[in-house]
Amino acid sequence: MTGGCGNGSKDGVAGTGDAASKVYVAPGTHDEFYAFMSGGFSGQVGVYGLPSGRLLRHVPVFSQNAENGYGYSEETKNLFMTSFGFVPWDDAHHPQLSQTDGVPDGRWLFINGNNTPRVARLDLATFETAEIIELPHSGGNHASPFLTPNTEYVLAGTRFSVPIPQQDVPINTYKDNFKGTLSFIKIDSTSGAMSLAFQILVPGFNYDLSHSGKGPSHGWAFFSTYNTEQASTLLEVNASRNDKDYMAAVNWKLAERYVAEGKAKDIPASYRHNYLDDARIAQSEIVKSVKILDPRECPGMIYYIPTPKSPHGADVDPTGEYIVGGGKLATVIPVHSFSKMLKAIENKEFDGEVDGIPILKYESVLAGEVQNPGLGPLHTEFDGKGYAYTSMFISSEIVKWKLGTWEVVDRAPAYYSIGHLMIPGGDSRSPFGKYVIALNKITKDRYLPTGPELTHSAQLYDITGDKMKLLLDFPTIGEPHYAQALPASLVKDRSVKYFPIAENTHPHAIKAENEARVERDGRLVRVYMSTIRTHFAPDNIEGIRVGDSVLFHVTNLEQDWDVPHGFAVMGANNAELLVMPGETRTLAWKPQAAGVIPFYCTDFCSALHQEMQGYIRVSR
């Protein structure tokens, strides 16, 4: 590892006026790109501007967010429902932008929950989580959520194999009883709505990452695997014994056909599908079965390509011909050829099979190997100019190499221990290029110390020339596990500014201040409340009794951009509400003792913000 915070300037750019001018965005002007970075263990998504690295938004996805009441308000709680009950946290890894013809289109962002297998869809018109679907028969949703070129499907593969169906079996029967699944989530092309179309049952390996084919390889998808030893203990040793693991090549078009022909079996399951309805209220539905394909009954649907060693990345170049494996313990970067793969399949150049899945011969599929790339290759993206960029975790660097000749042409240190990297559109058919971003796991001495817990970090490099040039470090929220970026022009003009109050279909919305009221039904009290600069209506509420269940339905009557109002009640056992203009949100409260309880607006909304308050009288 290269040490020292001053080393970033050794290339003569970072820390200089030249670098500063390349990332400077003048006050009042906008960045060229949106970058969406997963928050890793924070369960959220950070939205940054590039090239400035400015944090624009923190979008809550898999974790409750007290800042705006996400996961606390009655309208959003159902997004966290799973077959395990209410699960208000997850480990978000891989954001993926929706695509049209293999290019990001700015409509939606998908991201996986790794711990309790789920996939979320964010609507980029509102920058909010619109839908979360749980995946059954899965343990550890890591190879997820990767898209087909026209967003026909979101693909997801299991990191942890488990008994399918789940059952109480000895763990040392792993090889006999544990299986993995590859899930295909159908996406509605207009609304983006998700539904689990089918799953493919696969051997109990660990499925790590994926990418779909494009161009000539359209209709195929590729999943990296490790632990082909099928170890269940001390994987750092026991899952590293095989010289080669596999890349799974899946003909998903053929899988679709098998499902249409009735070859899939309906297998019992229980999983949740959660979504915002037209009234912007989260609904949660239980689904009880899923269609599963067995490769032993579906010839030609899936093949294994030997790939050294414990591969992480499964990355397809913009032409769709090359599939790059990133073997964490490999000394080379192997590049597979799609056209050679088809020829090897046609000629039956196999080297055995696993559970009915033919294993292709490594040499028959190999296009080339990048020699001496560094240590710990993980993940590769492309600049669209014939070059690939691979992150090297152990030697902590980015390596640039040329497609076709496989020669290393440049390398740049990363500070420190780079995991994924990202080029805007760098996994698409037409990369936007300009920058590569290192998503680093360790920062050590790069920033002012903040005790034992330090920020994670991204680093921005200019890739417009022959050599990479480090321009900028910037801290991130949580762990920036992976990221996607696209030109801001594809998103910003579609951004919603407020919700028209006339179109608010929330069943407890009010459209004008004179509709504000308090209604009692037994011990349930509904407060129909409005907010507008700078008062609540009603702002003096009496008749509440200890032990009542009180629902504050707060409607923001503002019809202007950037005028939310907050609502907080002293002693409430949840969070505040942050209500956007034209929106209705609900806070549940159960008063515990007699007295007079204040409430107020938490968002500084005007010069008289401090006057925006009220009282609730609670009687016995």
Side-chain angles (χ1 to χ4, degrees):
M1 177 183 294
T2 305
C5 61
N7 289 347
S9 64
K10 284 184 176 178
D11 61 5
V13 175
T16 70
D18 183 34
S21 68
K22 288 178 180 292
V23 301
Y24 179 69
V25 177
T29 61
H30 295 168
D31 283 283
E32 181 180 1
F33 293 97
Y34 283 106
F36 300 90
M37 298 191 184
S38 68
F41 46 73
S42 80
Q44 318 292 45
V45 169
V47 184
Y48 301 81
L50 297 179
S52 72
R54 297 184 298 193
L55 175 63
L56 305 177
R57 182 81 192 280
H58 169 226
V59 182
V61 183
F62 291 116
S63 297
Q64 287 177 293
N65 187 46
E67 178 183 331
N68 63 0
Y70 176 82
Y72 294 93
S73 71
E74 298 305 299
E75 287 80 6
T76 55
K77 285 179 178 175
N78 271 342
L79 288 171
F80 291 100
M81 292 307 297
T82 75
S83 59
F84 299 91
F86 184 78
V87 180
W89 172 86
D90 216 312
D91 185 18
H93 276 201
H94 308 122
Q96 284 283 296
L97 290 160
S98 57
Q99 296 187 356
T100 299
D101 196 20
V103 179
D105 58 24
R107 291 184 294 167
W108 309 301
L109 183 81
F110 298 88
I111 189 164
N112 62 321
N114 186 40
N115 181 56
T116 303
R118 290 175 280 182
V119 171
R121 177 175 61 87
L122 279 62
D123 186 333
L124 295 185
T126 57
F127 281 65
E128 66 182 6
T129 301
E131 188 176 10
I132 296 178
I133 191 168
E134 186 181 8
L135 297 176
H137 307 311
S138 177
N141 177 37
H142 195 270
S144 169
F146 294 94
L147 302 174
T148 53
N150 286 300
T151 319
E152 299 98 331
Y153 290 99
V154 167
L155 314 183
T158 50
R159 175 181 174 186
F160 309 119
S161 292
V162 292
I164 297 176
Q166 269 287 5
Q167 55 184 314
D168 175 8
V169 299
I171 297 172
N172 63 12
T173 64
Y174 186 104
K175 289 184 179 180
D176 297 323
N177 289 316
F178 287 55
K179 295 289 184 182
T181 54
L182 307 179
S183 298
F184 289 72
I185 303 168
K186 187 69 178 172
I187 306 301
D188 183 277
S189 60
T190 301
S191 68
M194 300 187 287
S195 59
L196 181 55
F198 61 92
Q199 295 181 308
I200 298 175
L201 192 68
V202 287
F205 307 151
N206 292 44
Y207 294 80
D208 208 12
L209 288 176
S210 173
H211 269 100
S212 292
K214 52 180 77 79
S217 55
H218 178 65
W220 289 76
F222 305 91
F223 293 81
S224 60
T225 76
Y226 63 100
N227 191 26
T228 53
E229 299 85 349
Q230 296 184 278
S232 63
T233 182
L234 290 175
L235 264 63
E236 63 179 338
V237 175
N238 295 323
S240 303
R241 297 182 185 279
N242 290 344
D243 183 57
K244 292 183 177 63
D245 295 280
Y246 301 123
M247 191 88 74
V250 180
N251 185 338
W252 61 264
K253 286 282 190 182
L254 183 57
E256 267 188 333
R257 194 186 316 161
Y258 281 136
V259 173
E261 292 172 353
K263 286 189 177 293
K265 294 176 181 173
D266 288 309
I267 303 297
S270 181
Y271 63 97
R272 291 275 188 160
H273 177 209
N274 313 320
Y275 58 91
L276 293 182
D277 66 11
D278 292 341
R280 296 177 43 73
I281 300 173
Q283 305 297 324
S284 183
E285 299 174 348
I286 301 173
V287 187
K288 286 292 189 180
S289 71
V290 61
K291 295 184 181 300
I292 292 188
L293 292 168
D294 188 332
R296 288 171 294 196
E297 300 166 358
C298 302
M301 183 175 65
I302 178 170
Y303 298 88
Y304 282 133
I305 306 171
T307 302
K309 181 173 185 178
S310 300
H312 187 62
D315 303 302
V316 181
D317 87 308
T319 71
E321 166 62 14
Y322 299 123
I323 306 106
V324 181
K328 300 188 292 287
L329 302 176
T331 58
V332 298
I333 300 173
V335 183
H336 303 303
S337 160
F338 179 72
S339 57
K340 293 181 75 171
M341 184 194 83
L342 291 183
K343 188 171 292 184
I345 292 171
E346 182 181 353
N347 295 334
K348 300 186 184 306
E349 297 175 44
F350 301 145
D351 198 7
E353 67 167 42
V354 183
D355 290 356
I357 300 173
I359 302 169
L360 294 162
K361 290 184 176 179
Y362 178 68
E363 293 76 12
S364 297
V365 180
L366 188 68
E369 295 175 333
V370 180
Q371 300 291 327
N372 302 313
L375 298 175
L378 285 183
H379 173 225
T380 299
E381 294 220 337
F382 308 91
D383 64 5
K385 298 178 180 177
Y387 294 97
Y389 298 71
T390 300
S391 57
M392 313 297 290
F393 180 80
I394 297 173
S395 53
S396 192
E397 60 184 334
I398 299 173
V399 172
K400 177 182 177 181
W401 50 276
K402 187 172 176 58
L403 289 160
T405 67
W406 327 121
E407 59 184 323
V408 173
V409 297
D410 190 25
R411 55 180 75 235
Y415 307 95
Y416 305 96
S417 298
I418 179 175
H420 282 266
L421 51 68
M422 181 273 285
I423 292 172
D427 65 347
S428 75
R429 186 180 56 77
S430 184
F432 306 111
K434 297 192 74 167
Y435 307 105
V436 63
I437 295 181
L439 303 165
N440 299 327
K441 307 301 182 188
I442 297 171
T443 52
K444 293 289 189 185
D445 55 3
R446 300 296 287 184
Y447 302 97
L448 288 172
T450 55
E453 183 177 359
L454 302 176
T455 184
H456 287 224
S457 169
Q459 290 185 297
L460 183 78
Y461 299 77
D462 182 346
I463 58 170
T464 57
D466 293 336
K467 301 294 183 183
M468 291 175 277
K469 297 178 179 178
L470 177 60
L471 301 177
L472 180 72
D473 286 13
F474 56 98
T476 60
I477 291 174
E479 179 217 356
H481 193 92
Y482 181 47
Q484 295 256 280
L486 79 174
S489 59
L490 293 174
V491 174
K492 65 179 184 180
D493 293 338
R494 298 176 50 251
S495 194
V496 169
K497 295 184 175 179
Y498 60 87
F499 300 103
I501 191 69
E503 299 174 11
N504 185 335
T505 57
H506 192 293
H508 302 293
I510 56 177
K511 305 297 178 66
E513 190 169 309
N514 60 11
E515 297 176 14
R517 62 194 185 277
V518 178
E519 293 183 351
R520 174 178 287 278
D521 181 7
R523 298 309 301 268
L524 175 65
V525 178
R526 295 184 185 274
V527 179
Y528 293 82
M529 177 179 284
S530 66
T531 69
I532 197 166
R533 284 164 288 184
T534 37
H535 61 276
F536 295 97
D539 64 355
N540 278 205
I541 301 168
E542 300 196 1
I544 306 298
R545 298 193 174 280
V546 174
D548 282 346
S549 292
V550 182
L551 295 174
F552 296 96
H553 303 296
V554 183
T555 298
N556 183 346
L557 298 177
E558 305 276 2
Q559 291 289 271
D560 193 7
W561 194 20
D562 199 18
V563 193
H565 289 294
F567 177 73
V569 176
M570 185 177 78
N573 298 123
N574 41 30
E576 69 152 342
L577 297 176
L578 191 63
V579 190
M580 296 300 115
E583 183 181 50
T584 301
R585 284 289 179 262
T586 301
L587 184 77
W589 179 59
K590 189 179 282 286
Q592 303 296 315
V596 178
I597 306 297
F599 61 89
Y600 71 105
C601 175
T602 54
D603 192 274
F604 205 111
C605 55
S606 76
L608 297 177
H609 166 72
Q610 286 295 88
E611 282 73 14
M612 196 165 175
Q613 66 173 55
Y615 289 104
I616 309 160
R617 178 184 173 189
V618 180
S619 306
R620 291 196 178 279

